[in-house]
Amino acid sequence: AQLLEESGGGSVQSGGSLKLSCVASGYIDSSNVMQWFRQAPGKEREGVACIDVDGETRYVDSVKGRFAISQDNAKKMLHLQMNSLNSDDTAKYYCAVGGFCHIGAISSREIRLFGYWGQGTQVTVSS
């Protein structure tokens, strides 16, 4: 089974930066996509950033220009550099593996299409 473990979350003041990492314990097929999601209390889970199979990066509009996703060549680690953080970025951040990129709100049905999820890492931004 594939295990994903996130790290790097924490508390930061508005305007600050954090770098999240996700390590995969098993093999990630080249046809699969690792990406970042987040979920704030009372809100839907949303896809934040992904690297598509063609290498193109995709971001939800609210983080464009502030967040950067990267991945090692072996697809064993995924990172999310988050700059200029604000209170709207407060959420639990998850990495997941699936067959496609999903940016924006994701439904319960679509969540099940991602076969593997980490436990998440909390990011709290205070103003």
Side-chain angles (χ1 to χ4, degrees), residues 2 8 10 23 31 37 45 47 50 64 66 69 72 75 78 84 90 94 96-97 105 108 111 120-121 127:
Q2 180 67 260
V23 59
S31 63
F37 289 84
R45 188 168 298 189
C50 70
K64 284 180 181 177
R66 301 188 297 120
I69 188 173
D72 72 355
K75 284 194 171 183
L78 186 71
S84 302
T90 294
Y94 301 87
V97 175
S108 298
I111 284 175
T121 185
S127 55

Side-chain angles (χ1 to χ4, degrees), residues 26-72:
Y27 171 73
I28 304 291
D29 188 84
S30 60
S31 63
N32 284 343
V33 172
M34 289 179 74
Q35 73 166 96
W36 289 101
F37 289 84
R38 68 184 179 187
Q39 188 163 18
K43 293 188 177 181
E44 288 183 299
R45 188 168 298 189
E46 67 171 355
V48 175
C50 70
I51 303 175
D52 214 335
V53 290
D54 60 2
E56 184 172 347
T57 55
R58 304 178 192 278
Y59 300 93
V60 69
D61 285 348
S62 60
V63 309
K64 284 180 181 177
R66 301 188 297 120
F67 289 14
I69 188 173
S70 61
Q71 186 174 40
D72 72 355

Side-chain angles (χ1 to χ4, degrees), residues 63-95:
V63 309
K64 284 180 181 177
R66 301 188 297 120
F67 289 14
I69 188 173
S70 61
Q71 186 174 40
D72 72 355
N73 289 337
K75 284 194 171 183
K76 297 295 286 186
M77 289 198 71
L78 186 71
H79 306 285
L80 186 67
Q81 178 67 46
M82 307 186 295
N83 300 324
S84 302
L85 287 161
N86 59 61
S87 57
D88 290 338
D89 298 316
T90 294
K92 197 163 190 179
Y93 285 71
Y94 301 87
C95 70

